[in-house]
Amino acid sequence: VGTYVAELLRAMAASEAVELVVYEDPSNRAPGLDTGRVEKVAVRAGRYSIAGQIEMARRCRQDGLDVLHSPFYLAPLAANCPVVVTIHDLIPFLFPVYSSAKSALVKAGYRMAARKSAHTIAVSQNTAMDVQKVLGVGSARTTVVHNAAGGAFRPSSDSSEFARLEQKYGISQPYVVAASARNWRTKNLEGALKALEWTRSHDSRFQTVIYGPEDGISAAGGTERWGSLDLRVTGKVEAGELAMLFRHAKTFIMPSFYEGFGLPVVEAMACGCAVVTSNGGSLSEIAGEGAQVFEPSDAAGMGAAIAKLVTDETGLQKWKSAALKRASEFSWHKAAQETISVY
């Protein structure tokens, strides 16, 4: 969501079609908004608090807003103007990711936002269908606006990049990238590692690089369980470093059980990285013809695909080209124009 807010605001700030008032936490400001066309207002109340609801309703009246856009499911219920709400996914309704008490609160927040919103933005067609099925928001009140990769995610001919990765993380080529995450329950990192085990058992040699918070790899049994995979665990990395990892990898594997959009798939493709992913949630929609898609449980299928990418340079180049072509169909400029059309 943070990436969505930062990239969408940056793209909309370049448009003369809308005047932006951005409400932000002064300790966590939105980056890259130095243009005079953006008015930034500090909001100190917690976003999950009653005080936050009161403050945002007051700001709507005080600032004379025509439309308020909430970039995730929390909406100011007493706003006196139309509210647009972006729904990124409906994971809390589909998977047991929270305690019973927290799950009930989160679901109530989604339902209240659906009732309050004049219009919803869904980040994929799959999420739009979930919004209609789960929240009862009809298609006339929902518009699909796809996310995109940020500016760091692009091909590069910088010959020094890999040396920096090698020095910092002990990475050697060839290597395959997988993602760990704090919200690991739907990410299926264990499935990715099982697929890579299959590949290694068929005489393919490579390192496995796992980026992101270590919650996911811990939940998958820890590094000791996957001793055959020559793991390198980087922890959380900044966008620029992640782009480097994608650019020099043989492939990125992401076989999630469900994604509302699947931004890392687009980020990897935008770097020219061959991608192996699943049909969980929106992923086949987002991957299009730019990646190889499997059932999340198909370790052998994914493993065989990765084996070919590691050993067959011609096939690898084919999928790298397909990835770049598909990624070019997503842009934050396009997302900004479509969002302004909703306003």
Side-chain angles (χ1 to χ4, degrees), residues 95 184-196 198 226 253-259 276-284 292-303 306:
F95 295 89
W184 53 268
R185 289 173 179 82
T186 60
K187 300 300 183 182
N188 194 25
L189 176 57
E190 183 175 3
L193 297 176
K194 286 180 177 178
L196 295 175
W198 188 99
W226 309 98
I253 178 171
M254 185 176 170
S256 302
F257 295 119
Y258 178 96
E259 293 287 341
V276 172
T277 189
S278 73
N279 59 4
S282 66
L283 285 173
S284 57
Q292 298 182 73
V293 178
F294 298 86
E295 291 287 337
S297 61
D298 188 3
M302 290 185 286
I306 292 168

Side-chain angles (χ1 to χ4, degrees), residues 80-98:
N80 69 337
C81 63
V83 175
V84 173
V85 177
T86 296
I87 302 295
H88 298 270
D89 61 62
L90 289 176
I91 286 175
F93 291 88
L94 305 174
F95 295 89
V97 293
Y98 300 127

Side-chain angles (χ1 to χ4, degrees), residues 187-264:
K187 300 300 183 182
N188 194 25
L189 176 57
E190 183 175 3
L193 297 176
K194 286 180 177 178
L196 295 175
E197 272 192 331
W198 188 99
T199 308
R200 287 295 292 257
S201 71
H202 289 72
D203 296 325
S204 292
R205 292 289 173 262
F206 54 86
Q207 276 188 343
T208 301
V209 178
I210 300 176
Y211 76 89
E214 295 186 20
D215 308 56
I217 186 63
S218 297
T223 56
E224 301 80 8
R225 178 180 170 186
W226 309 98
S228 67
L229 293 182
D230 192 10
L231 292 181
R232 296 293 184 273
V233 179
T234 68
K236 188 175 180 180
V237 296
E238 297 299 322
E241 255 188 2
L242 180 57
M244 290 184 203
L245 286 172
F246 286 149
R247 282 194 282 267
H248 299 279
K250 288 292 185 182
T251 186
F252 170 55
I253 178 171
M254 185 176 170
S256 302
F257 295 119
Y258 178 96
E259 293 287 341
F261 180 78
L263 187 57

Side-chain angles (χ1 to χ4, degrees), residues 84-120:
V84 173
V85 177
T86 296
I87 302 295
H88 298 270
D89 61 62
L90 289 176
I91 286 175
F93 291 88
L94 305 174
F95 295 89
V97 293
Y98 300 127
S99 67
S100 296
K102 184 175 181 179
S103 179
L105 285 171
V106 170
K107 289 177 181 178
Y110 274 97
R111 292 187 178 109
M112 286 188 290
R115 286 195 294 270
K116 175 63 178 177
S117 64
H119 205 85
T120 61

